[in-house]
Amino acid sequence: MSLSAELQTPEDAARLAKAETMLTPRFYKTDYAAMDRLDMDPIRAQWEVMMAEYEGDNNHDHFTRTPEFTAEAAALSAQWSPQLRRDFQDFLVSSLTSEYSGCVLYNEIAKNVSNPDIKQLMRYLTRDESRHANFINQSLKDFGLQVDLVNLKRTKAYTYFKPKYIFYATYLSEKIGYARYISIYRQLEQHPELRFHPIFRWFERWCNDEFRHGESFALMMRAQPHLLRGGNKLWIRFFLLAVYATMYVRDHTRPWLSQALGMDPTDYDYRVFNITTEISRQVFPLSLDTDRPAFRAGMTRLCSIAAANDRAKARGGLLGKLQQGWCALQATACFARLYLLPVKTHELPGEMRVAPSW
């Protein structure tokens, strides 16, 4: 089955969830002993406030389907084009995999550490991500595409990441998730006639979970300031670019989704970048200059290379493989040029937390 084909069965959805490409979410393992050594005492007051917020659990009643949800989903989906159906299915599977990836990682950390601060946080994060994943899976079930999450956990490949890489990547994933969801929600507030599925009504409160998760990782990094200095700035720069580039290419390979929401994919992505960049100043001492013409040209170039790579895959055979190899070299060179562009630097603010005010 082509990854771009419409999904027909739960097995198709599972294959897409298990796919290992540059654009698909991954499952992770990490160094649990290193996680155990994390010290939250430098930010204890802020930490206790955040734990109280998790304990309060203001979204405990949010991720619940109603009969109206089911009826609206059935009525609206009957009007979709095949292209929109394919792209929305891909969106749901990708979102499910991403949410469940966090659930699996946080649960494994909670089981393998004794540090009470980290264990407590990871249990809260597992709770939230489990709700998100199961809520998305119910929408996949509407199409007969519900994914067996237990089997996915057992059979999907895992990637090892050092804790600091987990912090950088997860912080950005949670914050960019917030920026994506709130941008879609605000667009549909202004244009409710474009809301082609009821799941978008849940995005405002949902994305505040994403925001709080990011705040947790921001506090963990601020409590270990060496993670934000010296050579680690090069890793921060790498993860910023990798997350932005992945999002940009993925959104431009399924433009029908953003277009159905009445948004130009390029405008939408740069709005998300701007929000994420503004938020991430709370913890990262540098940010990418996404308004620089060379940056934007590089992103466009990555999309062209991705499209050429897809054509090479479709071609198949020896020539197709050679073309894919050439595309990989071109993508690496383009990414390197983007990485070497000047960045903006700033001092970290005294106030470590940010309010979800977008």
Side-chain angles (χ1 to χ4, degrees):
M1 182 194 73
S2 166
L3 294 183
S4 64
E6 182 177 339
L7 306 178
Q8 302 289 342
T9 67
E11 290 73 26
D12 290 341
R15 276 193 292 272
L16 182 57
K18 294 175 192 176
E20 297 293 323
T21 74
M22 290 295 292
L23 301 180
T24 52
R26 296 175 180 269
F27 279 16
Y28 295 101
K29 299 185 293 184
T30 193
D31 183 340
Y32 304 117
M35 295 289 297
D36 232 352
R37 292 192 294 270
L38 295 173
D39 180 11
M40 297 301 115
D41 284 343
I43 48 90
R44 178 60 58 187
Q46 295 95 325
W47 187 262
E48 295 301 336
V49 169
M50 175 161 289
M51 291 304 103
E53 291 177 13
Y54 279 114
E55 180 65 24
D57 193 13
N58 60 355
N59 268 349
H60 71 278
D61 61 342
H62 186 54
F63 296 97
T64 304
R65 294 255 300 207
T66 63
E68 291 77 16
F69 183 111
T70 303
E72 184 179 2
L76 291 173
S77 62
Q79 304 169 35
W80 295 350
S81 69
Q83 186 77 50
L84 178 57
R85 180 175 295 271
R86 187 205 74 182
D87 278 2
F88 188 66
Q89 289 173 349
D90 177 85
F91 169 78
L92 288 177
V93 173
S94 176
S95 299
L96 169 69
T97 310
S98 180
E99 299 281 6
Y100 193 57
S101 169
C103 178
V104 170
L105 173 64
Y106 302 147
N107 186 53
E108 288 303 307
I109 294 173
K111 289 194 304 184
N112 286 283
V113 300
S114 56
N115 182 320
D117 290 327
I118 304 306
K119 184 178 285 287
Q120 182 185 30
L121 173 64
M122 295 302 156
R123 284 174 173 167
Y124 287 138
L125 296 178
T126 301
R127 174 198 70 193
D128 291 352
E129 300 289 23
S130 176
R131 286 174 182 163
H132 301 169
N134 282 299
F135 190 68
I136 296 170
N137 215 11
Q138 290 176 51
S139 285
L140 280 169
K141 188 177 181 181
D142 291 339
F143 301 106
L145 300 174
Q146 186 172 22
V147 175
D148 182 341
L149 296 179
V150 174
N151 185 62
L152 181 63
K153 178 181 177 180
R154 189 180 71 250
T155 57
K156 186 172 172 67
Y158 285 72
T159 300
Y160 175 83
F161 258 21
K162 292 181 179 180
K164 67 179 180 181
Y165 303 156
I166 294 288
F167 296 161
Y168 304 146
T170 304
Y171 170 78
L172 282 168
S173 174
E174 298 286 5
K175 291 302 191 183
I176 210 167
Y178 165 81
R180 288 173 65 81
Y181 281 15
I182 199 62
S183 296
I184 291 172
Y185 185 84
R186 298 300 180 213
Q187 165 72 0
L188 296 179
E189 268 190 324
Q190 297 177 27
H191 302 282
E193 73 280 3
L194 298 175
R195 188 183 294 112
F196 64 81
H197 193 276
I199 200 168
F200 298 119
R201 299 180 190 275
W202 267 251
F203 272 20
E204 184 178 34
R205 286 175 61 183
W206 186 338
C207 73
N208 288 330
D209 273 358
E210 307 289 332
F211 197 94
R212 185 182 297 114
H213 296 177
E215 293 292 285
S216 304
F217 285 92
L219 287 182
M220 284 195 284
M221 287 187 280
R222 290 295 296 267
Q224 332 296 318
H226 66 280
L227 297 176
L228 308 173
R229 296 195 296 248
N232 284 323
K233 290 182 180 180
L234 300 176
W235 283 113
I236 291 170
R237 191 169 174 172
F238 171 83
F239 279 100
L240 279 165
L241 180 57
V243 170
Y244 285 12
T246 299
M247 172 184 157
Y248 193 89
V249 172
R250 187 170 56 213
D251 284 353
H252 284 75
T253 58
R254 59 181 189 203
W256 284 75
L257 184 58
S258 55
Q259 289 168 3
L261 295 168
M263 300 187 293
D264 175 81
T266 300
D267 291 342
Y268 167 65
D269 282 357
Y270 281 104
R271 171 172 170 74
V272 170
F273 294 165
N274 289 340
I275 293 173
T276 307
T277 296
E278 187 174 350
I279 294 170
S280 66
R281 290 170 61 89
Q282 74 179 131
V283 65
F284 289 157
L286 60 90
S287 56
L288 304 184
D289 186 357
T290 57
D291 291 327
R292 181 180 287 269
F295 181 90
R296 297 197 171 208
M299 288 294 198
T300 301
R301 174 69 176 147
L302 285 176
C303 288
S304 297
I305 295 168
N309 189 64
D310 287 343
R311 292 193 294 271
K313 282 184 181 178
R315 178 188 295 270
L318 178 60
L319 180 57
K321 288 187 179 298
L322 290 172
Q323 290 176 332
Q324 288 180 62
W326 175 239
C327 287
L329 289 173
Q330 289 179 301
T332 300
C334 184
F335 188 92
R337 287 192 294 271
L338 285 164
Y339 183 82
L340 294 173
L341 290 175
V343 296
K344 298 179 179 180
T345 60
H346 57 267
E347 296 296 321
L348 295 182
E351 177 56 53
M352 297 181 191
R353 296 197 60 186
V354 181
S357 57
W358 285 266

